[in-house]
Amino acid sequence: MKKTLLMLAAAVMAVTPLMAGNGDGNETVTTDTEVLAAADNTAAAKQGKVKKGPWDRKKYFSIGYAKQTLSPEYGNEFKSKFGVSMVSGRNIFLHKKPVANMLKFAIDLGSDVNYAQYNDLEGDYDMPDPEPGYEDEEDMDLGLHHVDIGLHVGPSISINPVSHLKLNVYFRFVPSYSMLILNSEFYQSFTPLFTYGGEISYKAIGIGIEGRSGNAKYTDMLAQTEGSDSMKIKYQTSAMRFYISLRF
């Protein structure tokens, strides 16, 4: 009897490690499978974040070349020899689903910075050359420069005819602070400007063209600082801008 019990105990002890080993193997397989599944899910999630649809790129930044003219109320106009613009903002769509599955209306909000350097004036504005030996240390010639810094707001229409191709047309009101440097004179003004144009883009890259216009009366900054009265001069700004944009 004792011999039989000892044999049964030995058999149980021999089978128990095998059962434990089989259990460990099954747990390892399950754990590896779960890890691989989790890794696949994470990769898919990351890939989903990278991929954007045609309506997901709401923010934009553009840099462009500006051809600009500044026309005084009386006299000859200034024509730019160099100009650059930087515009940034976002589209705030007014509805989620596109009309006819391809068209959306939006409000554009953002900022607009424009700089132009003008050619030297000709004709009535030419100053005679100083007499030989004449020097005036107070005279400065800083050139002819024009800076506009403003915010823009306005309606836009975006059309997505196929794939990631988008067409966008817009009209924006751009209230701006403007500064003119005319050789040794400094002028400033609040200028209500308007921009209007269109852009074609594919995914993140786009190109566009827009017009720009506005007019304001400029005052002499130095005269204001000294507390003296200065005559206001009315100028009209008109420009054409060509730009490259990034959408994200």
Side-chain angles (χ1 to χ4, degrees):
M1 184 67 180
K2 291 183 179 180
K3 188 173 182 181
T4 303
L5 292 174
L6 290 174
M7 291 178 64
L8 289 173
V12 170
M13 293 179 63
V15 172
T16 300
L18 292 176
M19 294 177 64
N22 291 337
D24 291 342
N26 290 335
E27 290 177 0
T28 303
V29 171
T30 303
T31 302
D32 291 344
T33 302
E34 291 176 350
V35 170
L36 291 174
D40 291 340
N41 291 336
T42 303
K46 289 183 177 179
Q47 188 175 8
K49 290 182 180 179
V50 172
K51 290 184 178 180
K52 290 189 176 183
W55 302 112
D56 294 332
R57 302 181 185 275
K58 301 176 183 179
K59 297 181 181 179
Y60 53 86
F61 172 79
S62 68
I63 183 167
Y65 170 77
K67 187 66 176 177
Q68 185 161 295
T69 301
L70 184 68
S71 305
E73 190 172 7
Y74 304 102
N76 295 348
E77 62 186 14
F78 300 78
K79 293 185 178 180
S80 66
K81 63 179 177 181
F82 173 76
V84 64
S85 66
M86 290 186 295
V87 178
S88 64
R90 69 174 296 144
N91 304 126
I92 301 176
F93 292 115
L94 301 179
H95 48 96
K96 292 184 178 180
K97 294 184 178 180
V99 178
N101 217 20
M102 61 183 298
L103 184 147
K104 275 192 175 186
F105 297 91
I107 297 295
D108 292 354
L109 293 175
S111 61
D112 188 310
V113 179
N114 191 89
Y115 166 78
Q117 181 181 8
Y118 296 108
N119 291 307
D120 293 335
L121 293 171
E122 299 178 356
D124 298 341
Y125 288 98
D126 281 350
M127 299 296 292
D129 295 331
E131 297 179 0
Y134 173 81
E135 292 183 1
D136 188 350
E137 296 180 355
E138 295 183 357
D139 286 345
M140 296 185 296
D141 187 359
L142 300 177
L144 308 173
H145 307 273
H146 187 181
V147 179
D148 297 311
I149 303 173
L151 302 174
H152 71 251
V153 59
S156 68
I157 301 174
S158 298
I159 303 172
N160 174 223
V162 62
S163 184
H164 290 269
L165 181 68
K166 282 179 65 179
L167 304 174
N168 179 250
V169 292
Y170 54 85
F171 179 86
R172 298 167 182 166
F173 173 54
V174 193
S176 305
Y177 168 78
S178 301
M179 184 175 68
L180 283 175
I181 300 176
L182 306 179
N183 296 326
S184 60
E185 298 176 337
F186 297 79
Y187 296 89
Q188 65 178 354
S189 175
F190 166 77
T191 308
L193 292 162
F194 297 91
T195 60
Y196 37 89
E199 176 186 340
I200 180 171
S201 61
Y202 185 80
K203 292 187 177 181
I205 305 296
I207 56 173
I209 181 173
E210 65 182 13
R212 186 168 179 269
S213 62
N215 60 77
K217 291 184 177 180
Y218 290 76
T219 56
D220 191 327
M221 294 173 62
L222 297 180
Q224 286 184 328
T225 302
E226 296 171 357
S228 59
D229 295 333
S230 61
M231 182 178 66
K232 294 185 177 181
I233 305 174
K234 186 176 181 180
Y235 288 98
Q236 180 177 356
T237 301
S238 59
M240 187 69 70
R241 304 196 298 198
F242 307 88
Y243 61 86
I244 299 175
S245 68
L246 294 175
R247 290 188 168 268
F248 48 93

